[in-house]
Amino acid sequence: MILRGEGIVEDTNKEEQLFLDKSLEIIDENIKELEKNCKEGIDDVRKLSKYHWERKCEMDEIEEAMSMNDVNHTATLTNSGLSKLRKLRKAANSPFFGKIEVDFDGDEESFYIGLTSIMNDNDLIINDWRSPISTLFYNAKIGNTSYRAPVGIIDCKLLQREQIKIKNRKIDRIVGTDLHVSDDELQKVLSKNSNGKMKNIVTTIQEEQNEVIRNLKDSKIIVQGCAGSGKTSVALHRLSFLLYNDNKSNSENMLIFSPSDIFSSYISNVLPDLGDNNVLQTTFSDFANAFINRFDKIESFSEFLSKYYDGINSESQNKSNQFKYSKEYIDALDKFIQNFVNSYRFKEDLSVFNATIPQEYLNRILDNDTTSSLQEKIDIITDEVYNLLRNRSGVKKSSIRVAVSRGLINPSFDPRATYNKFLHSKEYVDSFKEEGNSLNKKLLEFPDLIGMLYLNFEFMGYPKNNLIHHLVVDEVQDYSPLQMKMISKMFSGASITILGDKNQTINPYHRYESLEELKEQLGNSAKYVELNKAYRSSPEIMNYVKDIIEEDSINPVRNSSDNPVLLKEVDKSNLFKTLVQDILNLKEKGFEKICIVTKSIKEARAIFEGLKDSVDNIKVLSNEDDYDYTTLVAPSYNAKGLEFDAVICYNDYDNDYTNDEKYLYYVACTRAQHDLVVYNEPKTLKRGI
């Protein structure tokens, strides 16, 4: 029998097992049929492709087009079948994880909830977790409720909600609860060790997370979430939900701006676990590389940070970087661009479609507009010329725009040369009180990459990326307002979900007081949401860091681990002996992923050198493949976004965390799920100071 309310069924429920057996039988049959169809489809694509290329020279244009269409059509159907097959294989051992009983005006129905929908002929026997009815499983309380369906709001009564655990194709246990996940079940999931990759949370999505995932009303969403609140998981499950609900989009129409390649690799399993293809991912530096060239090397954000935390930068470099992250820098850049734009003139008459437009006429239009951007001026003149010539045969506005652009902008426009002019301009000097250092081709530093990219887009126009329908920007607290301004303009037609934590800022030159400030870039209609429940770290860890960053809103969800944060004073003379012993102790507790988190990469490399002969399977975390190692050493800015079973937070007395760097320390400590050991607690960050 099933216990109403909180409780666990002791005996296997025969009714549910019979339904599971029937479901598995249907899934197995569907898998066999799909495997057969997909194999035939792959063979057909090969045969059609071979026929096309062997006979291509004999075909006329119509025959060639029809032949290629046959290949593409068969390939599309086969890919669709392969996608269904992958989802069914994911569901083969555990086709559902929940069940709800719903009363529709006296008509009671049961609905099973799983990773994907399962059909038996034309009957839907298991509902996809993203379907409208599944909303009741995640959000609704027992009793009268409603949900939104394609036909409108459906009123109903939720009679029962059950979480069903399946193990080895058998019902393991059933939990009936007023919440979609009982606290006992949630705690079991949270207490598990890290396995090296982020896992999907489809069976444990919480109500506040579900509100973000299923939000179809707001196209722009800003999520402020504390460390371990599941921000990235929410973003990935939101993309999966949008894939399900937007029949005009596929995985190639979605893009994630990720903080690093390491992080991209860490999250790479989530969407495939949900049965979806991985979406496009990039870092801001890699994205910018497509538009800025003529440099031997373009600095990444991580490399930019390492120079600061390793103490490589001079005082003047830090002063310059601080300015380049300020509002004053943006204002100076905007003034320079506008003044430069206003100096543009047509140097000769414009010849287009056998017509000549006098340069005096065109320049008069420019003189009457001193506030529009260069691209806006080009649009205004294009419209003016088009209106003059629109009655002529074959006139195209796009061709006129090209001619206007060439006539107004020197075809050899050089972003580096123009940016160098800005660094020595009156606008820059008036604001910074001294000239900037000219750039050479050897290295483009990250702050200058941002400024030059902005200058390039303001002059040459923003690429309108209509391919991307849904955009996610993760760890947004480390993006400057100028970066977000560019991203917002480039992807103006896409839905945008940005996620971050103002308290996890690792950029020493800029910090948002609130991520709500980003409404200035996304628009005031953007929805702002806070996720303040911490699921990753134990309450002992979260209460320790809450005091350091003075943030009372964070609510640890996990049960006590009975493992207090261990604070140690460790002298350099016995550092490596102590580290080896602590690593052994943590491994004896059953922890599989351990990370020694340092402040700088220099410290990380020194610790690795001292441990590599004593600790097996250890590596400095520097790229995506390194995360497979069981013991890692990493500067906190490289470990950001990742999680480990246990963390040893090493603080060097010679390079201590200052009070201005308490948020970096917060990042370091909150990488730990279960145990945190702190060597030499930073003096200026101790509680009460």
Side-chain angles (χ1 to χ4, degrees):
M1 61 184 263
I2 297 175
L3 302 179
R4 299 287 176 182
E6 296 285 346
I8 300 178
V9 177
E10 298 295 336
D11 300 323
T12 301
N13 184 278
K14 293 181 179 179
E15 180 183 344
E16 302 298 354
Q17 185 62 52
L18 286 172
F19 180 79
L20 173 60
D21 292 340
K22 180 63 176 175
S23 301
L24 292 171
E25 182 183 331
I26 292 167
I27 290 171
D28 291 342
E29 289 175 357
N30 287 344
I31 286 176
K32 286 181 181 178
E33 184 178 354
L34 273 171
E35 285 176 339
K36 177 176 175 291
N37 292 341
C38 289
K39 184 178 183 303
E40 291 175 353
I42 292 170
D43 289 341
D44 287 343
V45 170
R46 286 173 179 161
K47 290 175 183 176
L48 288 168
S49 298
K50 182 180 179 183
Y51 176 85
H52 175 83
W53 291 109
E54 286 178 348
R55 306 292 178 88
K56 184 179 179 181
C57 294
E58 304 170 12
M59 299 177 186
D60 60 27
E61 291 181 354
I62 295 176
E63 288 174 328
E64 184 179 351
M66 291 177 65
S67 174
M68 202 65 224
N69 184 63
D70 288 341
V71 175
N72 292 335
H73 179 67
T74 306
T76 299
L77 290 177
T78 303
N79 285 334
S80 177
L82 288 169
S83 178
K84 291 177 184 177
L85 180 60
R86 184 175 62 251
K87 291 181 180 181
L88 283 178
R89 284 173 173 165
K90 286 285 182 186
N93 290 322
S94 184
F96 54 87
F97 53 80
K99 179 184 177 183
I100 52 176
E101 295 177 14
V102 186
D103 183 338
F104 296 98
D105 197 21
D107 184 13
E108 295 185 13
E109 292 187 51
S110 295
F111 299 90
Y112 289 84
I113 314 298
L115 200 60
T116 189
S117 57
I118 305 295
M119 301 290 295
N120 181 22
D121 295 327
N122 293 322
D123 294 329
L124 181 65
I125 62 169
I126 297 174
N127 293 267
D128 191 293
W129 70 274
R130 299 164 293 186
S131 66
I133 191 69
S134 298
T135 306
L136 299 178
F137 176 75
Y138 289 105
N139 275 21
K141 300 290 190 293
I142 300 296
N144 293 327
T145 186
S146 63
Y147 67 96
R148 184 179 296 277
V151 295
I153 300 297
I154 306 295
D155 294 320
C156 57
K157 184 176 183 180
L158 181 62
L159 302 175
Q160 175 70 1
R161 176 194 287 106
E162 296 158 7
Q163 188 172 18
I164 302 172
K165 177 68 175 177
I166 297 171
K167 191 174 181 179
N168 298 324
R169 294 166 72 101
K170 297 292 182 184
I171 299 292
D172 184 53
R173 62 182 179 273
I174 302 173
V175 181
T177 174
D178 188 43
L179 302 171
H180 90 271
V181 182
S182 72
D183 185 64
D184 179 62
E185 291 298 302
L186 178 61
Q187 294 299 335
K188 285 180 181 178
V189 173
L190 296 179
S191 65
K192 290 181 179 178
N193 284 350
S194 172
N195 68 351
K197 295 284 187 181
M198 181 177 283
K199 301 178 282 287
N200 81 67
I201 59 169
V202 68
T203 64
T204 58
I205 294 170
Q206 300 297 290
E207 185 174 352
E208 76 278 7
Q209 297 171 332
N210 198 48
E211 291 292 339
V212 177
I213 291 169
R214 293 176 181 265
N215 187 334
L216 294 175
K217 176 185 174 185
D218 299 296
S219 62
K220 305 288 190 294
I221 303 177
I222 304 167
V223 179
Q224 155 66 41
C226 66
S229 59
K231 297 182 295 295
T232 303
S233 289
V234 165
L236 294 169
H237 287 69
R238 175 166 172 76
L239 289 179
S240 180
F241 181 77
L242 293 170
L243 276 170
Y244 179 85
N245 285 274
D246 184 356
N247 57 18
K248 295 181 180 179
S249 299
N250 56 43
S251 59
E252 294 178 354
N253 302 125
M254 299 184 169
L255 174 65
I256 299 174
F257 271 95
S258 176
S260 68
D261 292 334
I262 297 170
F263 188 76
S264 295
S265 175
Y266 174 63
I267 67 176
S268 62
N269 279 6
V270 176
L271 284 169
D273 278 350
L274 294 171
D276 297 311
N277 291 327
N278 259 323
V279 303
L280 304 172
Q281 294 191 51
T282 188
T283 63
F284 186 84
S285 298
D286 287 344
F287 179 79
N289 276 341
F291 304 97
I292 299 295
N293 48 40
R294 297 180 64 190
F295 288 91
D296 294 341
K297 179 175 175 55
I298 294 179
E299 186 176 62
S300 70
F301 183 57
S302 178
E303 291 167 333
F304 164 66
L305 292 177
S306 71
K307 289 195 304 186
Y308 175 85
Y309 291 115
D310 279 339
I312 295 173
N313 287 346
S314 65
E315 186 177 335
S316 62
Q317 283 175 307
N318 284 331
K319 180 183 175 184
S320 173
N321 289 340
Q322 189 77 54
F323 172 66
K324 288 171 184 175
Y325 270 95
S326 69
K327 184 180 183 300
E328 290 74 21
Y329 170 80
I330 299 174
D331 290 343
L333 188 52
D334 280 336
K335 287 177 184 176
F336 171 81
I337 290 170
Q338 191 62 64
N339 290 337
F340 207 88
V341 164
N342 288 338
S343 71
Y344 270 61
R345 288 291 183 275
F346 285 91
K347 296 180 174 58
E348 57 186 35
D349 297 341
L350 180 69
S351 297
V352 59
F353 290 107
N354 297 319
T356 299
I357 315 297
Q359 67 181 91
E360 294 83 0
Y361 174 75
L362 298 172
N363 287 333
R364 202 157 47 243
I365 297 174
L366 294 174
D367 291 337
N368 291 332
D369 183 352
T370 59
T371 59
S372 294
S373 70
L374 181 60
Q375 297 304 315
E376 288 170 340
K377 290 187 176 188
I378 289 171
D379 287 338
I380 290 168
I381 292 176
T382 297
D383 289 340
E384 186 74 20
V385 174
Y386 178 74
N387 288 331
L388 292 173
L389 306 179
R390 64 189 308 168
N391 293 326
R392 297 193 178 204
S393 176
V395 172
K396 294 181 180 178
K397 185 181 284 190
S398 58
S399 299
I400 294 174
R401 195 181 195 284
V402 170
V404 170
S405 298
R406 287 176 177 169
L408 189 58
I409 304 174
N410 189 324
S412 61
F413 172 79
D414 185 344
R416 188 173 81 197
T418 308
Y419 186 74
N420 273 332
K421 287 180 181 178
F422 165 64
L423 293 174
H424 298 278
S425 68
K426 181 179 184 300
E427 292 85 356
Y428 189 94
V429 173
D430 284 350
S431 191
F432 188 52
K433 307 310 177 189
E434 60 183 82
E435 291 187 358
N437 295 321
S438 295
L439 308 183
N440 58 54
K441 72 170 188 174
K442 289 184 178 180
L443 174 68
L444 177 61
E445 296 183 333
F446 192 77
D448 292 314
L449 169 66
I450 298 171
M452 189 183 298
L453 192 65
Y454 179 67
L455 181 145
N456 182 67
F457 288 154
E458 288 292 311
F459 274 94
M460 303 304 293
Y462 286 85
K464 297 299 181 183
N465 197 317
N466 296 321
L467 173 67
I468 301 303
H469 301 169
H470 304 287
L471 177 72
V472 165
V473 182
D474 205 356
E475 304 291 353
V476 74
Q477 73 277 357
D478 293 319
Y479 285 70
S480 70
L482 199 53
Q483 285 173 277
M484 288 310 302
K485 181 178 181 179
M486 288 187 281
I487 288 172
S488 182
K489 283 191 172 186
M490 282 185 287
F491 300 96
S492 58
S495 76
I496 301 178
T497 305
I498 64 175
L499 311 98
D501 179 8
K502 63 184 177 68
N503 292 321
Q504 290 189 69
T505 300
I506 59 176
N507 187 338
Y509 304 110
H510 178 266
R511 182 175 183 268
Y512 294 101
E513 291 300 317
S514 167
L515 294 189
E516 203 163 6
E517 295 172 32
L518 288 165
K519 283 187 175 183
E520 185 175 342
Q521 282 72 45
L522 295 189
N524 288 326
S525 62
K527 175 80 170 177
Y528 176 74
V529 179
E530 291 189 1
L531 302 177
N532 292 320
K533 293 182 180 179
Y535 297 95
R536 176 195 299 135
S537 303
S538 69
E540 289 83 358
I541 294 170
M542 293 311 299
N543 288 331
Y544 171 72
V545 296
K546 277 170 60 178
D547 287 343
I548 288 171
I549 61 170
E550 301 175 283
E551 183 63 74
D552 295 328
S553 64
I554 299 173
N555 177 25
V557 171
R558 287 188 51 186
N559 288 338
S560 172
S561 65
D562 294 325
N563 293 325
V565 175
L566 187 57
L567 305 177
K568 289 188 172 186
E569 292 293 322
V570 181
D571 190 83
K572 285 188 177 181
S573 62
N574 64 351
L575 170 63
F576 296 113
K577 181 180 177 181
T578 307
L579 277 170
V580 170
Q581 187 58 55
D582 280 337
I583 291 169
L584 288 173
N585 291 341
L586 292 169
K587 287 185 176 180
E588 285 176 4
K589 286 185 175 184
F591 297 141
E592 299 170 10
K593 280 283 180 183
I594 300 168
C595 188
I596 303 164
V597 181
T598 64
K599 181 178 171 183
S600 72
I601 188 65
K602 182 179 178 181
E603 293 166 356
R605 288 170 179 156
I607 285 179
F608 169 74
E609 289 298 323
L611 292 178
K612 65 181 181 180
D613 295 329
S614 305
V615 178
D616 293 334
N617 207 235
I618 187 170
K619 188 77 165 58
V620 175
L621 181 64
S622 59
N623 63 62
E624 57 269 30
D625 296 328
D626 296 339
Y627 199 72
D628 293 334
Y629 287 77
T630 56
T631 305
L632 288 164
V633 191
S636 51
Y637 49 84
N638 276 357
K640 192 161 176 287
L642 308 177
E643 61 182 34
F644 305 91
D645 295 327
V647 163
I648 299 173
C649 190
Y650 170 73
N651 306 295
D652 192 323
Y653 281 133
D654 296 330
N655 186 29
D656 200 10
Y657 287 92
T658 66
N659 197 54
D660 288 341
E661 296 164 346
K662 63 183 178 181
Y663 303 107
L664 185 68
Y665 185 64
Y666 169 70
V667 169
C669 293
T670 54
R671 299 311 92 205
Q673 289 182 273
H674 311 298
D675 268 34
L676 173 63
V677 183
V678 175
Y679 285 14
N680 307 324
E681 184 182 29
K683 297 179 183 64
T684 60
L685 304 188
K686 289 183 180 179
R687 285 158 286 181
I689 294 179

